[in-house]
Amino acid sequence: QITLKESGPTLVEPTQTLTLTCTFSGFSLSTSGVAMGWVRQPPGKALEWLALIYWDDDKRYSPFLKHRLAITKDTSKNQVVLTMTNMDPVDTATYYCALLPEVGIYFDSWGQGTLVTVSS
Amino acid sequence: QSVLTQPPSVSGAPGQRVTISCTGSSSNIGAGYDIHWYQQIPGTAPKLLIYANSNRPSGVPDRFSGSKSGTSASLAITGLQAEDEAAYYCQSYDSSLSGVVFGGGTKLTVL
């Protein structure tokens, strides 16, 4: 059974750096073809893709946020970490981590999401 | 402004058929990249509904179907049920942006 769970601060101040961790089970991110990603959703708004990381450590970022994002993996801990610098109130959103299938670029398993509020 | 365009809302009575469109461009759907659909019930995470244009994951009822043509795609829901009331999102890959793109989402109301 595949499970994913996001964790991190629920409140961050403007200009701070956000660090979110996705802890997963039921698969290994060191297996060829496996990839994971982050997607966010501001309250009442649409989904927005942020980043992907592949089993071979290849990384992809949203071109709109690339300068602020970093995604890393720790296969020994079954974790993926997303950092986002210079947080702003418009970054207030629910952040989801998700698993991609071995073939195709879509998300077939999702975490429950974690709401991050940016406010002073 | 989303790269993929969806109608903000659609509605239908129980038992009816509704369709949700997703319009892209020559750098995503028109370039041959697959379309995928998600269902999001309020307060919950998105759930994969259709992948690779027309395939249903295990457990998704065959009332849900997807199609793609040219630079557009559609999600059809037949035999509408109250439990189908949710937001629906299309998603693809865009070669100009070199990344994943989502539609703006469509809220389905079951009357």
Side-chain angles (χ1 to χ4, degrees), chain A residues 38-115:
Chain A
W38 287 91
V39 174
R40 72 177 179 179
Q41 184 175 37
K45 296 189 177 181
L47 301 170
E48 179 184 17
W49 168 67
L50 300 176
L52 297 178
I53 187 164
Y54 290 83
W55 86 101
D56 60 358
D57 213 36
D58 189 17
K59 300 166 187 177
R60 298 284 186 265
Y61 296 102
S62 164
F64 308 110
L65 294 166
K66 184 176 183 177
H67 59 291
R68 299 174 53 205
L69 295 172
I71 188 170
T72 60
K73 61 181 175 68
D74 186 331
T75 53
S76 66
K77 293 182 179 179
N78 280 355
Q79 291 181 333
V80 171
V81 175
L82 180 77
T83 60
M84 180 180 290
T85 61
N86 194 25
M87 292 292 284
D88 182 273
V90 299
D91 296 314
T92 294
T94 296
Y95 288 76
Y96 297 98
C97 66
L99 172 66
L100 284 73
E102 294 185 12
V103 177
I105 304 177
Y106 59 94
F107 306 98
D108 59 3
S109 294
W110 295 68
Q112 64 188 25
T114 185
L115 175 61

Side-chain angles (χ1 to χ4, degrees), chain A residues 1-13:
Chain A
Q1 179 189 2
I2 291 172
T3 65
L4 306 99
K5 187 172 184 179
E6 307 85 352
S7 59
T10 57
L11 179 66
V12 297
E13 294 186 358

